Amino acid sequence: MTQNVRCLIKFVDPQLKRDEVVTEVHYLIDDLCDLEGMGQTRFEKVSEIREADPIGVGVKFETDAERLGAILRRLRYRLYYRPIDTLFFFQASDLNLQIQTHRAEDLLGLLDIARSGLLFSPACDYLAEAETYSRTQGELSPTELDNLNLLRQRLGLSVEQADDLNAKATGPYRTQAEKRRHFEDITQAEFSRLRTLAAGQPLAPKDTWSVLQELAENLGLPIPTAEAIYQQHQQRYDDDNLNLLQFTSGSAEAADLGAVIPTEIESQTQAQADLDQYRSLCRQTMAEALYPSEFDQGRLAQARRLHTISLEEASTIEAAVRDELYGSIESATGVDYNRLRELLHQQAWPAADLETEVVMLQALNHDMQPVTAATVQRLSPVDLATIDALWSRYSNGRFGFKAQQQVYRGQQPLQSDDHKRWAVFEETLGWREPSSWLYQGFKPYYNLTFSLEAPPGHLPTWRWCCVSLGHRYSPSPEAMEAVMAYLNDCMPLESAMTALDPIAIAGEVNHAS
Amino acid sequence: MQASVSNSELDASLSELTLLLKDEDWEAADRLTADILLLAVEQRLHSGERLLQDTSASHRPHLTAETLATIPCQLLYALDSQWQGASGGHFGFSTQLQIYTEILSSATFDPALRNWATPHPFFESVGWLMLFPVRPLGFLRFYNWLEFDLEAPKGHLPAMWYWHLPGMASLRLGGFSTGQGAGFGDLARLDAMMLRMTRCQQLGG
């Protein structure tokens, strides 16, 4: 009964590249192993010298003649999808068959010949055909069923036998619809598990797909169908998460994006909506911290990809939002005030005071030499205003140059003597103690008060016009005079104007009305 | 950045310093270092740089707190890296700065105490204190009594930049026209130099 057939399959297509041949052989063996009862077959690779190196160009194996039909059908199926010139050689006891072809139909002829000359298992043959059908469509179509019916009659199988074999070929989920449904159920379950596991994680993990893909293969559900289902679910999952993140409107428009036909105008408004959405996400991630956490950065990167926003656009938006939320850091001299802003935001007063010196001396661009009466006017008003605004913002107006101006303005009329005036100014700011005949009252810089309990205007210190700080913090009166005069030039106090020049203010009111 | 640094006179002095340091002639190198600093200050004056205070009072410039605050960063780097290289990090301005900052951030010393008997811990650390019967605690050594070898405490040199004082200033500090020698350490000048170093480091060199 058992008769062995020796088979040899070799790829001879000259256009096939080396590594392509290797892959093809690999898949061929996979495909053949996949067949019913072929698990134990020993496959031997056929090597050939090509370009001086041996290379596996085919496969040689021995199998039961009963399985030949099934093998031929599988090979036919392969050729149908990938017509590669291949040499097939079958050798039974009294029969040698050899054919070189890339056409699937040719194998069918071979099958007939084989059937006539060899012992043959009708059941195997039938099953191979049913499986082949089932693999392509995911179910047996009426035509295919009819074909199978004809084959059943030709092979002399009973209806029950054929039904059994059909069921075996299609697996537990008979129709494609059933498979689809099953696959959808599983995908759904997978994503609801994800939701509970990683609540709020915006990106669906990539490895989910690979597992589901395996499931689809096992089910016999065509991969494109499965992938469509998966992507639908993944999109829903990602959207849900993004919608959760975005409390502004706008998001509904984005969800509809797939539905609208993208015309010129619509794509423009869409781009605008994308930017708006990104901006609102930025606001949200920066609501708590000046710089988004690693997690939020992930969210931003995800949103950036989703809305197809370029990196430059994104960083412009981020900077704008940061300015809006945490104060502008405009500079006329190209100095970076990011660090100062961050330190002030953290209320790290001593570090912020030091950073103020650094940025001011950098803005002065004078080899980090301290500010003097002669050089103070080289400071840009824009930069001074930025520094003042940051200090004022994070101390609720307690600190900053304006606060210092106000203190000065408040006590200016009381003192006529220049030297005394500056001493009183320093005392009011808490920069020194009242002096006596024995004691000048200077404090070391490090004994100043670096907290919100300090007197108004205490910070930022004017350490940037000091030559030493360690044993006493005392800007020279000349420097203080010049700095204060320049501050008044750069950022005049409105309230002071009312007090000093009522006529000018009246003029302004008239102008306004 | 600073045109004055590339001046030929300075260049010559700097290469001379290299030779002295290579020969481990620490004292001569120290004196030359102070001279180079003074030269830089002088050049600033001649190039019309207005300085903060009474430079007109004496025509001979000194390394006051004000002038120390304007020494070109590049020059400081150049001097420091020569000292660092020759002494393996044992001497140099940045070594002194490192000691100074450590003391500032850790010690309980309060400069506001104005206690003559409590010298700044920095002087003790770098071994500048007299600690000798000639004068009680808190006074600095005569310049000649400093140690000019690598056995000296870390940060001991360069020292001349600190010792070089006009006679009047020396008297004010309790010395007798011996610079810092036998006088109290001038904290303003020490801090000015350290602050200058700190600011120069902010340049990102």
Side-chain angles (χ1 to χ4, degrees):
Chain A
M1 177 77 184
T2 51
Q3 185 184 359
N4 279 355
V5 184
R6 289 223 289 282
C7 310
L8 180 124
I9 301 156
K10 207 166 103 180
F11 296 103
V12 293
D13 199 319
Q15 280 164 7
L16 225 49
K17 293 197 199 81
R18 269 184 82 94
D19 46 345
E20 279 179 326
V21 174
V22 175
T23 339
E24 281 302 324
V25 171
H26 181 77
Y27 283 133
L28 174 67
I29 295 175
D30 265 7
D31 266 1
L32 292 174
C33 277
D34 204 31
L35 282 172
E36 180 82 10
M38 292 286 282
Q40 269 84 49
T41 314
R42 220 169 72 83
F43 292 94
E44 229 175 290
K45 285 199 181 155
V46 180
S47 295
E48 209 173 71
I49 305 289
R50 270 203 205 170
E51 294 153 19
D53 280 324
I55 171 179
V57 291
V59 64
K60 197 161 69 176
F61 58 95
E62 201 161 304
T63 183
D64 201 316
E66 281 193 349
R67 302 215 174 82
L68 191 58
I71 291 168
L72 280 172
R73 281 182 196 284
R74 183 54 57 84
L75 292 173
R76 194 185 112 208
Y77 166 74
R78 279 180 55 85
L79 272 194
Y80 183 74
Y81 281 97
R82 194 147 159 67
I84 304 168
D85 238 354
T86 315
L87 179 80
F88 301 95
F89 181 75
F90 302 99
Q91 186 183 42
S93 55
D94 54 345
L95 184 76
N96 280 355
L97 284 173
Q98 181 176 350
I99 181 169
Q100 180 179 340
T101 183
H102 62 270
R103 290 174 53 209
E105 301 90 273
D106 292 350
L107 279 187
L108 209 58
L110 195 69
L111 185 63
D112 284 336
I113 303 164
R115 203 177 282 151
S116 63
L118 293 167
L119 290 170
F120 199 73
S121 157
C124 258
D125 197 13
Y126 183 90
L127 182 60
E129 184 76 24
E131 269 182 346
T132 311
Y133 279 147
S134 174
R135 270 167 68 121
T136 40
Q137 293 280 321
E139 65 183 335
L140 299 175
S141 70
T143 327
E144 286 167 341
L145 275 174
D146 202 45
N147 260 338
L148 281 173
N149 196 27
L150 287 175
L151 182 67
R152 177 187 68 81
Q153 282 173 0
R154 220 160 12 137
L155 294 171
L157 289 171
S158 71
V159 180
E160 290 78 31
Q161 267 179 308
D163 278 351
D164 274 356
L165 291 171
N166 279 352
K168 210 168 178 179
T170 49
Y173 303 96
R174 188 71 54 101
T175 65
Q176 196 186 358
E178 272 176 48
K179 287 177 184 170
R180 249 191 92 105
R181 213 171 304 131
H182 180 68
F183 185 80
E184 270 202 84
D185 287 348
I186 299 295
T187 313
Q188 181 72 44
E190 195 64 39
F191 274 103
S192 43
R193 186 181 69 100
L194 269 184
R195 272 189 188 120
T196 51
L197 264 184
Q201 191 168 327
L203 254 174
K206 287 272 175 290
D207 51 350
T208 317
W209 168 237
S210 61
V211 182
L212 285 170
Q213 191 178 10
E214 220 167 284
L215 173 70
E217 273 169 15
N218 286 337
L219 275 175
L221 185 68
I223 298 301
T225 318
E227 198 164 2
I229 295 172
Y230 170 77
Q231 274 173 357
Q232 200 182 333
H233 277 84
Q234 187 200 28
Q235 192 60 46
R236 206 179 301 156
Y237 175 84
D238 290 352
D239 281 354
D240 280 359
N241 277 317
L242 282 178
N243 285 342
L244 273 178
L245 305 178
Q246 292 162 355
F247 42 77
T248 48
S249 54
S251 57
E253 298 167 29
D256 289 343
L257 174 60
V260 287
I261 308 144
T263 67
E264 185 84 357
I265 300 158
E266 269 172 344
S267 67
Q268 265 178 22
T269 52
Q270 184 56 49
Q272 191 53 49
D274 279 344
L275 291 179
D276 286 348
Q277 247 180 306
Y278 188 75
R279 189 167 295 128
S280 71
L281 182 61
C282 277
R283 267 192 207 113
Q284 205 189 329
T285 54
M286 290 178 203
E288 297 294 322
L290 198 44
Y291 295 93
S293 64
E294 214 163 283
F295 171 66
D296 282 338
Q297 276 172 17
R299 277 163 63 182
L300 283 172
Q302 156 87 356
R304 191 168 58 72
R305 279 195 295 272
L306 183 75
H307 300 305
T308 55
I309 297 168
S310 73
L311 259 178
E312 297 81 55
E313 264 182 312
S315 57
T316 317
I317 292 177
E318 278 164 37
V321 169
R322 199 171 287 131
D323 284 1
E324 171 193 311
L325 292 178
Y326 294 100
S328 155
I329 49 168
E330 206 185 338
S331 169
T333 45
V335 173
D336 182 5
Y337 293 105
N338 266 306
R339 195 177 129 77
L340 178 62
R341 179 167 64 180
E342 204 184 346
L343 289 170
L344 286 171
H345 176 62
Q346 294 166 359
Q347 315 256 302
W349 305 115
D353 195 51
L354 174 60
E355 179 68 11
T356 303
E357 174 185 286
V358 173
V359 291
M360 285 187 67
L361 296 190
Q362 275 173 354
L364 195 62
N365 192 20
H366 201 55
D367 200 29
M368 299 304 277
Q369 290 179 23
V371 176
T372 64
T375 55
V376 65
Q377 282 166 15
R378 292 191 212 162
L379 287 167
S380 143
V382 178
D383 290 53
L384 285 176
T386 298
I387 296 171
D388 171 63
L390 288 174
W391 274 96
S392 171
R393 182 187 189 106
Y394 290 102
S395 62
N396 291 323
R398 192 174 190 84
F399 299 147
F401 298 140
K402 280 223 172 84
Q404 289 164 351
Q405 279 175 285
Q406 257 148 12
V407 168
Y408 181 70
R409 186 78 64 179
Q411 47 101 25
Q412 191 189 26
L414 306 177
Q415 291 294 336
S416 50
D417 175 16
D418 257 9
H419 205 77
K420 238 181 176 169
R421 188 166 71 223
W422 289 111
V424 172
F425 176 64
E426 285 177 284
E427 279 168 36
T428 323
L429 290 185
W431 286 356
R432 68 188 277 188
E433 288 155 18
S435 55
S436 66
W437 64 277
L438 245 181
Y439 171 46
Q440 285 181 297
F442 292 115
K443 294 177 178 182
Y445 172 80
Y446 307 95
N447 286 6
L448 294 175
T449 317
F450 292 101
S451 75
L452 280 172
E453 272 103 66
H458 191 68
L459 299 177
T461 65
W462 293 4
R463 55 174 293 169
W464 30 266
C465 62
C466 296
V467 294
S468 72
L469 300 167
H471 79 304
R472 62 158 75 157
Y473 165 67
S474 63
S476 75
E478 294 78 16
M480 285 202 285
E481 180 92 55
V483 169
M484 188 51 82
Y486 188 58
L487 283 179
N488 281 335
D489 286 351
C490 291
M491 38 174 108
L493 291 175
E494 291 84 359
S495 54
M497 274 170 63
T498 350
L500 291 178
D501 202 345
I503 300 154
I505 293 297
E508 260 185 33
V509 170
N510 284 340
H511 186 78
S513 60
Chain B
M1 187 191 292
Q2 292 296 324
S4 54
V5 181
S6 56
N7 180 284
S8 58
E9 200 178 345
L10 267 180
D11 278 349
S13 303
L14 277 171
S15 34
E16 195 189 333
L17 180 65
T18 318
L19 291 178
L20 289 174
L21 285 170
K22 205 174 150 213
D23 291 348
E24 306 210 354
D25 189 349
W26 303 112
E27 184 175 349
D30 186 29
R31 287 177 186 276
L32 182 59
T33 302
D35 286 347
I36 292 174
L37 289 176
L38 278 168
L39 189 64
V41 170
E42 227 166 327
Q43 278 181 349
R44 287 196 93 74
L45 283 180
H46 290 316
S47 66
E49 281 283 349
R50 241 197 80 193
L51 290 174
L52 271 178
Q53 275 183 341
D54 55 356
T55 41
S56 53
S58 68
H59 286 289
R60 183 104 182 88
H62 285 288
L63 296 173
T64 60
E66 282 73 25
T67 50
L68 282 171
T70 59
I71 288 177
C73 289
Q74 261 194 350
L75 179 64
L76 272 183
Y77 281 143
L79 291 173
D80 183 51
S81 62
Q82 291 215 10
W83 277 93
Q84 292 277 326
S87 66
H90 197 69
F91 295 145
F93 298 127
S94 55
T95 309
Q96 291 172 346
L97 175 63
Q98 199 187 333
I99 295 167
Y100 190 75
T101 357
E102 269 165 30
I103 285 168
L104 218 63
S105 59
S106 65
T108 48
F109 175 72
D110 181 4
L113 271 179
R114 300 172 303 279
N115 185 347
W116 294 116
T118 329
H120 196 290
F122 174 81
F123 297 129
E124 202 179 331
S125 179
V126 299
W128 284 358
L129 281 181
M130 176 129 9
L131 293 178
F132 202 75
V134 176
R135 280 250 168 165
L137 211 65
F139 291 87
L140 299 192
R141 299 184 186 200
F142 293 110
Y143 183 74
N144 297 353
W145 293 7
L146 291 174
E147 299 167 48
F148 296 101
D149 53 54
L150 282 171
E151 304 290 296
K154 206 173 178 194
H156 195 65
L157 297 176
M160 194 53 175
W161 66 268
Y162 195 60
W163 258 258
H164 190 279
L165 276 180
M168 275 307 291
S170 176
L171 287 176
R172 246 203 323 270
L173 290 164
F176 14 91
S177 290
T178 44
Q180 272 295 348
F184 296 108
D186 184 349
L187 294 181
R189 285 178 65 244
L190 175 66
D191 194 66
M193 186 59 158
M194 296 305 136
L195 187 61
R196 185 66 190 142
M197 283 296 292
T198 315
R199 281 176 177 158
C200 284
Q201 282 181 354
Q202 298 286 0
L203 267 183

